[in-house]
């Protein structure tokens, strides 16, 4: 997926969100660190253009909720980044945003984390790419592109905000050395 | 670059970086002396993220679920012990508190035996405070658990220096060239030693001020400006850190009287006039009001003393998190 397609996908998903929600008043977008955050911000801009409503965005770091955090007795820890949700999520309709949906474990952690912030009226999930291979019963409500992959491949989402360019590519994993 | 960052290849002083994971190079945090400036900044960045957990309606994350942390305090402590305990609980660790009076040390057991027995119960992390320098090192050698030094005699108190650094960074945004004056009982202070090491690693310009009797010998070796004049120390300071007169550690006469110390070295609003207009006043606590600090300064607009306490929890969460991963090899 190149920059132009990625931009169109974001706009299409913004239209889908508007289509499904009667009002965007109680909606808030929460991006999962790292790449869910810029995608959420882009969606918010698109939503404002379409509907005129400004939708707040937040950033969620799920590191402390990972299910593999203490599985291995030794080794370095995942880098912890800041969670920034500057509004109350109580009674809001939350749209969780991430780049790639794979095993579903990140989203499981994100759901647990969100519940610690309050009791939203509902939580929906939007992903740029769904690559399959779920290990948990989790399904996205909005999908940018379904990309069937093999387990040996990895899906790389690169964004202007994080990598300096917009693209989605499938890479063959190098055999473990 | 990620290849380069492999533990054996990268900068030998940098933190351990493997892909998207990070860690300290040691299983223990015994002193600032063992940390590189990169590791210090990693702890501060992690602490910054941990701070947010304390602002949530539910101030608890499952990161250290199932881990056992023992707080072994052979010396009295209010702030540090409470701060560690809150940090452990916010990370969902199981905590055990042991203070000297409740331990078998009162029955004559040695530190070594106490720790061997404790080690046999397989805790994951042990927080140690002890009146003897190097106590943390002894504990770290005796058991496989990670050890965090919460103050060993007159040696080091690394988490205090880290929380001080976090507070300074939040206010000043930098360390390089910052004039930090540390005034008080330097001789008996582990907080001074840890802060000196840390601030120098991060490029601050440290000025040490104390009466000659409470000054460390060989200060010039550390590249620190030392003075007995408070006015000289305060002049142009960005940060003023006051240290407590530790009467309980004094063997002999170091100062004529507390009152005289206050007259000559106590921080008053009047003395502060020479400092930078945006100076911050720090104190690790407990405060001796009217000895090293006047109440009007401790409770005044420049004081960040309570912010230090708040940052203490975040810094300790960060250290616990980074050490809970254990050590490879």
């Amino acid at each position: 997926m190149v920059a132009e397609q990625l931009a169109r996908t974001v706009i299409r998903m913004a239209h889908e969100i508007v289509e499904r929600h009667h009002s965007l008043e109680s909606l808030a977008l929460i991006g999962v660190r790292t790449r869910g955050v810029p995608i959420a911000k882009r969606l918010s801009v698109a939503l404002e253009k379409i509907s005129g409503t400004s939708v707040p965005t937040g950033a969620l770091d799920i590191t402390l909720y990972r299910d593999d955090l203490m599985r291995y007795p030794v080794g370095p820890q995942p880098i912890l980044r800041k969670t920034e949700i500057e509004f109350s999520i109580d009674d809001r309709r939350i749209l969780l945003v991430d780049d790639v949906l794979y095993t579903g474990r990140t989203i499981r952690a994100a759901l647990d984390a969100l519940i610690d912030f309050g009791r939203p009226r509902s939580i929906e999930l939007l992903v740029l790419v769904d690559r399959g291979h779920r290990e948990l019963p989790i399904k996205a409500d909005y999908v940018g592109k379904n990309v069937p992959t093999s387990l040996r491949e990895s899906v790389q989402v690169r964004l202007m905000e994080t990598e300096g360019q917009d693209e989605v590519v499938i890479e063959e994993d190098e055999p473990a050395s | 670059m990620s290849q380069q960052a492999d533990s054996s290849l990268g900068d030998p002083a940098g933190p351990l970086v493997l892909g998207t994971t990070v860690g300290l190079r040691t299983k223990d945090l015994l002193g600032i002396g063992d940390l590189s400036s990169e590791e210090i900044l990693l702890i501060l960045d992690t602490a910054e993220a941990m701070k947010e957990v304390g602002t949530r309606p539910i101030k608890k994350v499952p990161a250290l679920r199932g881990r056992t942390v023992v707080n072994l305090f052979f010396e009295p402590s209010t702030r540090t012990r409470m701060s560690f305990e809150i940090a452990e609980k916010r990370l969902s660790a199981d905590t055990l508190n042991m203070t000297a009076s409740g331990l078998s040390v009162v029955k004559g057991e040695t530190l070594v035996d106490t720790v061997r027995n404790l080690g046999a119960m397989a805790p994951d992390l042990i927080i140690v405070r002890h009146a003897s320098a190097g106590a943390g090192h002894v504990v770290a050698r005796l058991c496989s658990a990670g050890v965090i030094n919460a103050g060993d005699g007159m040696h080091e108190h690394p988490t205090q220096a880290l929380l001080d650094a976090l507070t300074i960074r939040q206010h000043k945004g930098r360390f390089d060239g910052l004039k930090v004056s540390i005034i008080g009982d330097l001789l008996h202070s582990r907080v001074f030693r840890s802060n000196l090491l840390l601030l120098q690693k991060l490029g601050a310009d440290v000025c040490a001020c104390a009466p000659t009797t409470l000054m460390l010998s060989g200060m010039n070796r550390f590249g620190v400006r030392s003075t007995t004049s408070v006015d000289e120390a305060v002049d142009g300071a960005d940060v003023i850190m006051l240290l407590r007169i530790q009467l309980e550690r004094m063997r002999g006469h170091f100062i004529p009287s507390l009152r005289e110390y206050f007259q000559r070295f106590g921080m008053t609003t009047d003395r502060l006039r020479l400092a930078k207009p945006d100076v911050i006043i720090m104190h690790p606590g407990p405060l001796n009001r009217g000895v090293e600090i006047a109440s009007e300064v401790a409770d005044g607009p420049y004081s960040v003393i309570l912010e230090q306490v708040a940052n203490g929890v975040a810094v300790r969460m960060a250290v616990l998190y980074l050490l809970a991963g254990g050590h490879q090899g």
Side-chain angles (χ1 to χ4, degrees), chain B residues 73-261:
Chain B
F73 279 68
F74 292 95
E75 269 194 330
S77 164
T78 312
R79 258 160 306 277
T80 306
R81 194 160 63 88
M82 280 171 57
S83 180
F84 264 112
E85 201 178 336
I86 290 174
E88 289 150 11
K89 292 201 152 80
R90 286 201 178 154
L91 291 173
S92 303
D94 295 318
T95 63
L96 256 116
N97 291 304
M98 295 181 162
T99 50
S101 58
L103 284 167
S104 286
V105 271
V106 293
K107 299 181 195 164
E109 190 172 57
T110 63
L111 171 66
V112 170
D113 283 330
T114 305
V115 171
R116 280 210 181 111
N117 281 279
L118 193 59
M121 298 179 218
D124 296 287
L125 287 164
I126 302 177
I127 320 298
V128 190
R129 166 168 289 195
H130 198 279
S132 301
H137 295 74
V138 171
V139 177
R141 265 199 304 275
L142 287 171
C143 45
S144 58
V147 175
I148 301 173
N149 177 7
D152 58 336
M154 299 187 284
H155 179 228
E156 276 228 47
H157 189 356
T159 56
Q160 177 69 43
L162 288 162
L163 73 89
D164 289 340
L166 185 64
T167 312
I168 292 173
R169 193 172 75 167
Q170 282 166 359
H171 281 270
K172 305 293 175 190
R174 70 191 167 103
F175 294 97
D176 207 36
L178 211 61
K179 184 177 173 183
V180 183
S181 294
I182 308 180
I183 307 169
D185 183 352
L186 308 182
L187 182 63
H188 299 99
S189 177
R190 52 196 176 207
V191 175
F192 172 65
R193 280 168 184 77
S194 289
N195 259 299
L196 179 60
L197 290 166
L198 186 150
L199 290 167
Q200 289 202 318
K201 278 177 202 243
L202 297 183
D205 171 21
V206 181
C207 174
C209 174
T212 334
T213 48
L214 293 175
M215 185 73 80
L216 272 81
S217 57
M219 284 293 249
N220 298 335
R221 266 190 311 158
F222 294 102
V224 183
R225 287 182 302 117
S226 58
T227 176
T228 52
S229 154
V230 176
D231 285 346
E232 196 186 317
V234 172
D235 194 13
D238 296 290
V239 177
I240 295 175
M241 196 180 288
L242 301 164
L243 300 179
R244 185 172 65 91
I245 296 297
Q246 303 195 44
L247 287 175
E248 77 278 13
R249 289 191 208 281
M250 291 188 187
R251 305 274 179 271
H253 292 289
F254 290 89
I255 48 171
S257 71
L258 291 178
R259 196 171 147 170
E260 187 163 336
Y261 180 84

Side-chain angles (χ1 to χ4, degrees), chain B residues 27-43:
Chain B
K27 81 171 172 72
D28 315 297
L29 176 62
L30 300 176
I32 297 295
D34 305 327
L35 296 176
S36 65
S37 52
E38 290 87 353
E39 286 176 306
I40 292 168
L41 294 175
L42 167 67
I43 295 172

Side-chain angles (χ1 to χ4, degrees), chain A residues 36-108:
Chain A
V37 180
I39 300 173
K41 291 209 173 111
R42 290 183 193 191
L43 276 167
S44 173
V45 171
L47 285 172
E48 184 155 11
K49 267 194 198 139
I50 298 164
S51 70
T53 313
S54 151
V55 179
T57 62
L60 184 67
D61 185 284
I62 58 104
T63 306
L64 298 167
Y65 292 82
R66 290 173 65 122
D67 59 6
D68 56 355
L69 200 54
M70 290 294 152
R71 242 178 99 75
Y72 308 101
V74 290
Q77 298 272 58
I79 299 167
L80 185 65
R81 297 206 160 77
K82 209 166 175 179
T83 292
E84 289 165 296
I85 302 176
E86 270 142 27
F87 44 84
S88 164
I89 69 164
D90 281 332
D91 284 325
R92 271 191 188 273
R93 295 186 190 280
I94 299 297
L95 180 54
L96 203 55
V97 180
D98 202 0
D99 56 349
V100 180
L101 180 58
Y102 182 27
T103 60
R105 287 176 193 269
T106 300
I107 301 306
R108 195 284 311 162

Side-chain angles (χ1 to χ4, degrees), chain A residues 60-61 63-67 69-85 90 108 112-113 115-118 174, chain B residues 16 18-23 45-46 48-50 52-53 56-58 60-65 67 91 320-322 324-328:
Chain A
L60 184 67
D61 185 284
T63 306
L64 298 167
Y65 292 82
R66 290 173 65 122
D67 59 6
L69 200 54
M70 290 294 152
R71 242 178 99 75
Y72 308 101
V74 290
Q77 298 272 58
I79 299 167
L80 185 65
R81 297 206 160 77
K82 209 166 175 179
T83 292
E84 289 165 296
I85 302 176
D90 281 332
R108 195 284 311 162
D112 272 0
I115 300 298
D116 280 357
F117 283 85
E174 287 161 37
Chain B
L16 197 64
L18 292 169
T20 57
T21 59
V22 288
D45 290 343
T46 308
E48 209 65 72
M50 287 295 187
E52 178 271 325
V53 175
R56 299 179 185 181
I58 296 174
K60 201 178 182 81
V61 291
L64 260 64
R65 215 169 39 169
R67 298 277 154 145
L91 291 173
L320 288 163
Y321 171 71
L322 290 169
H327 187 56
Q328 282 190 324

